[in-house]
């Protein structure tokens, strides 16, 4: 459930008409709902009730400072995958002991920043990285808490670009090598092993791959404990999917996910961490856009809108589906017709949907992409010198611009001219 609903035919974000936001800040625009963000975080938090746990929001899904502050105020931890995200989490007031650092390519500089600023744990993805963390920690005279991310070789049954738990993926160390790697970790003075980490992919719509992976983690926990390691924390990653197509898909609910975790891992007495991103932010955001032209093609009608692939790349990159709805609802029984919905960028990949059935719309009308809160604004670019579009956060009947649209001058003036020109 989200908080983007029609009232008397007009799409609202909580208690604010979407058309009012567009009138104030222009289009296209990302609009987030505070109530939806909070609701989704609480669903995960409650799903793990009864277990010692921390929900670490995977902030790569949507990392605006206002979104981070909203979640941090509820007690959320953060999962970061770069020095920039670490700095963002700190800037939003998240204490270091609630920040976990994931990612396959942590540099010395990033490791140093996290060790200096405070870190809950590093999720180590390789032996060379483990040695780097040990070296940097010893140089600073501190001990770095770590888990090792294991690759359980489980098929997440999701889009190939967001599957991360098969042996051919670059993530983690093969689970069969885990004992060896933990033995090396235990010998390093700059490291303290505290647990195990796993993350098998994103947009999973079935619990079974999670269950298979977590079973392997449970087994490994027992093995490593028998080897003398203290395994007190299990980081189970993120990845629970969301229903991008209303009425057509029903991924498992956080409460079902939580029950499965208790079933598979509850007996181990470990502190549980999860790292959901998409399920917290995805349906908490929409992208509102205006129709520029309706153009007759051969046997098709193009709806050319003012949002493009640079603003929301998921359809071009993952062939992802987004429900696209009119901001002013059609009369019941209104005539429908197929549209090819495209942006103005000079690439055929700039296509959001083909033959999408929608009520007949007019130039100047507004449409909204649902489920655009995660991997939307964060993946946008200024391709075609299209300014990064503004982000707006709604709370009840208030809204605020949380990232303004830059002017052309601001974009152009970021470039610098060498002296010979
Ligand atoms: C991307 C990622 C997540 C979040 O995945 P979602 O599908 O957005 O829940 C969590 N952990 C790690 C390590 C990731 O790379």
């Amino acid at each position: 459930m989200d908080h983007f609903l029609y009232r008397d035919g007009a799409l609202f974000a909580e208690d604010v008409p979407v058309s009012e936001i567009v009138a104030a800040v222009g289009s296209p625009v990302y609009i987030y709902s505070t109530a939806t963000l909070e609701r989704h975080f609480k669903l995960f938090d409650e799903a793990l009730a009864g277990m010692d746990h921390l929900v670490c929001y995977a902030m790569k899904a949507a990392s605006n400072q206002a979104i981070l502050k909203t979640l941090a105020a509820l007690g959320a931890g953060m999962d970061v995958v770069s020095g920039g995200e670490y700095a963002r989490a700190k800037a939003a007031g998240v204490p270091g002991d609630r920040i976990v650092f994931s990612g396959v390519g942590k540099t010395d500089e990033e490791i140093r920043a996290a060790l200096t600023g405070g870190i809950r744990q590093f999720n180590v993805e390789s032996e060379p990285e483990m040695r780097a963390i040990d070296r940097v920690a010893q140089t600073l005279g501190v001990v770095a808490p770590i888990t090792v991310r294991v690759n359980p070789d489980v098929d997440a049954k999701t889009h190939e670009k967001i599957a991360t738990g098969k042996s051919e993926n670059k993530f983690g160390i093969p689970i069969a090598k885990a004992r060896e790697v933990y033995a090396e970790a235990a010998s390093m003075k700059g490291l303290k092993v505290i647990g195990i980490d796993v993350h098998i992919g994103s947009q999973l719509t079935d619990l079974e791959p999670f269950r298979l992976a977590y079973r392997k983690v449970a087994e490994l926990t027992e093995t490593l404990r028998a080897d003398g390691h203290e395994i007190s924390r299990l980081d189970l990653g993120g990845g629970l999917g969301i229903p991008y197509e209303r009425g057509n898909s029903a991924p498992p609910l956080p409460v079902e996910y939580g029950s499965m975790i208790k079933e598979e891992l509850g007996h181990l007495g470990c502190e549980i961490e999860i790292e959901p991103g998409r399920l917290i932010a995805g349906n908490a955001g929409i992208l509102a856009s205006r129709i520029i032209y309706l153009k007759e093609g051969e046997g098709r009608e193009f709806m050319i809108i003012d949002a493009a692939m640079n603003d929301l790349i998921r359809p071009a990159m993952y062939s992802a589906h987004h429900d696209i709805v009119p901001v002013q609802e059609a009369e019941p029984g209104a005539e429908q017709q197929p549209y090819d919905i495209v942006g103005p960028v000079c690439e055929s990949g700039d296509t959001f949907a083909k033959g999408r059935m929608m009520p007949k719309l007019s130039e100047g009308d507004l449409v909204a992409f649902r489920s655009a809160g995660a991997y939307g604004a964060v993946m946008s670019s200024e391709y075609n010198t299209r300014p990064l579009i503004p982000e707006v956060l709604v709370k009840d009947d208030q809204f605020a611009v949380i990232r303004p649209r830059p002017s052309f001058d601001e974009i152009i003036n970021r470039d610098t001219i060498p002296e010979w020109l």
Side-chain angles (χ1 to χ4, degrees), residues 122-124 130 146-150 173 181-182 185 195-198:
F122 291 96
N123 293 331
V124 172
M130 188 165 84
I146 64 152
T147 70
V148 176
R149 176 168 176 182
V150 293
I173 57 140
V181 174
Y182 274 84
I196 306 173
D197 171 46
V198 70

Side-chain angles (χ1 to χ4, degrees), residues 60-74:
K60 71 174 193 271
S63 59
N64 189 289
Q65 291 292 293
I67 292 175
L68 302 187
K69 270 185 178 286
T70 300
L71 294 169
L74 302 178

Side-chain angles (χ1 to χ4, degrees), residues 58 60 79 102 149 199 201-203 237-240 275-278 375:
K60 71 174 193 271
D79 173 50
S102 303
R149 176 168 176 182
H199 170 75
S202 196
Q203 187 53 19
L240 197 57
E275 304 168 343
R278 189 186 305 273
Y375 307 106

Side-chain angles (χ1 to χ4, degrees), residues 352-411:
F352 291 116
K354 283 191 170 158
R356 181 70 64 86
M357 293 305 290
M358 296 206 36
K360 262 188 169 318
L361 290 166
S362 307
E363 293 172 356
D365 286 351
L366 295 173
V367 295
F369 289 68
R370 288 193 179 275
S371 312
Y375 307 106
V378 286
M379 293 181 96
S380 58
S381 75
E382 287 178 340
Y383 187 39
N384 282 205
T385 306
R386 296 169 45 84
L388 288 184
I389 68 178
E391 294 181 285
V392 165
L393 183 64
V394 176
K395 182 176 169 57
D396 305 321
D397 60 355
Q398 314 171 62
F399 71 91
V401 175
I402 57 173
R403 183 180 75 190
R405 191 190 312 274
S407 67
F408 293 141
D409 278 347
E410 283 172 272
I411 296 174

